[in-house]
Amino acid sequence: DRARYAQRHASFSTGGLTTMIDEGTTDAVLADIWARLVRARHDRRADWRWFTVATSAADGSPRARTVVLRDVSPGQRRLDFHTDRRSAKYAQLVNDPRVALHFLDRRAAIQVRMLGRAAFLGAAHSAAIWDRLSPGARAEYGQAASPGTNLAEAGAEALEPSPGKQNFTVVQVFVTDIDWLHLQSSGHCRASFQFHDDRWVGRRIAP
């Protein structure tokens, strides 16, 4: 599988470093990225099921954490994950919706980095998703203490159950930039994609 993929994109490792990717190859790479994301949405064992989201704190310093991919829409350039409204992550996204995402497929040796802007799904739609969550998933949002609370100081009541529905929300990231890197012994291949004028524009860049 990895050998076939490397052969399919062999043009990335030949020619001058400033050579533009031909349109067909660009389309194939971009389609492969979104196909892997869609697969990860349905396959709990897929490497891209878990990914890193980086945000900015109030002082401008970076914050990164791992989240679970919950939904994907290639047509909308959208990736969804869930979060707690009481978390620092939520406050950071309200203050600055710009995010960076990182995916690594270890078996295929493919890294993808993305830039985008986050938005929150409306209350009615979030409630509908909440209703489909398992009891275990709901419990993650149903403790009295907000994420990051010092439990030694808060006391036992911090772990008491509380209604979790009001704490739950869905974050939707709309991707604007993609950086794709394929690691291979014959020479690494890298490409970048930007969304301009309602379409993706790709180009080859130095690894």
Side-chain angles (χ1 to χ4, degrees):
D1 181 47
R2 181 176 173 182
R4 287 197 301 271
Y5 189 85
Q7 183 178 9
R8 178 184 178 189
H9 299 298
S11 60
F12 278 84
S13 59
T14 61
L17 290 176
T18 59
T19 303
M20 294 290 288
I21 300 171
D22 65 85
E23 185 176 357
T25 304
T26 299
D27 291 345
V29 172
L30 192 61
D32 183 78
I33 291 170
W34 287 107
R36 289 176 185 274
L37 290 168
V38 171
R39 189 179 312 127
R41 161 67 179 84
H42 300 284
D43 183 359
R44 293 175 179 267
R45 298 171 298 177
D47 283 349
W48 287 7
R49 176 77 173 190
W50 302 77
F51 65 103
T52 302
V53 176
T55 56
S56 296
D59 62 0
S61 59
R63 298 288 188 271
R65 78 285 292 162
T66 301
V67 299
V68 180
L69 183 64
R70 299 298 186 181
D71 198 15
V72 179
S73 174
Q76 296 180 346
R77 302 174 286 112
R78 174 175 57 78
L79 308 175
D80 293 4
F81 63 91
H82 300 167
T83 196
D84 192 313
R85 290 179 178 272
R86 302 168 297 171
S87 67
K89 174 168 71 268
Y90 178 85
Q92 290 159 12
L93 291 172
V94 169
N95 183 61
D96 186 347
R98 295 175 299 173
V99 296
L101 314 179
H102 176 264
F103 298 84
L104 178 64
D105 188 323
R106 295 168 296 173
R107 287 165 289 188
I110 295 175
Q111 172 189 265
V112 165
R113 295 182 298 155
M114 296 180 172
L115 299 178
R117 296 184 69 85
F120 299 101
L121 191 62
H125 289 93
S126 288
I129 292 175
W130 169 267
D131 291 340
R132 297 197 296 268
L133 294 181
S134 67
R138 293 183 186 183
E140 298 297 326
Y141 300 90
Q143 65 180 19
S146 60
T149 297
N150 186 329
L151 296 180
E153 296 177 355
E157 64 274 10
L159 297 179
E160 291 295 321
S162 67
K165 190 172 185 177
Q166 63 188 12
N167 302 325
F168 172 81
T169 192
V170 178
V171 180
Q172 299 187 309
V173 176
F174 295 90
V175 180
T176 58
D177 298 80
I178 298 176
D179 187 297
W180 174 89
L181 176 65
H182 183 198
L183 304 172
Q184 49 188 350
S185 58
S186 60
H188 303 331
C189 304
R190 187 180 175 194
S192 67
F193 302 85
Q194 289 79 38
F195 192 76
H196 291 299
D197 298 326
D198 294 325
R199 70 185 187 95
W200 286 104
V201 178
R203 60 193 178 94
R204 182 186 181 193
I205 58 177

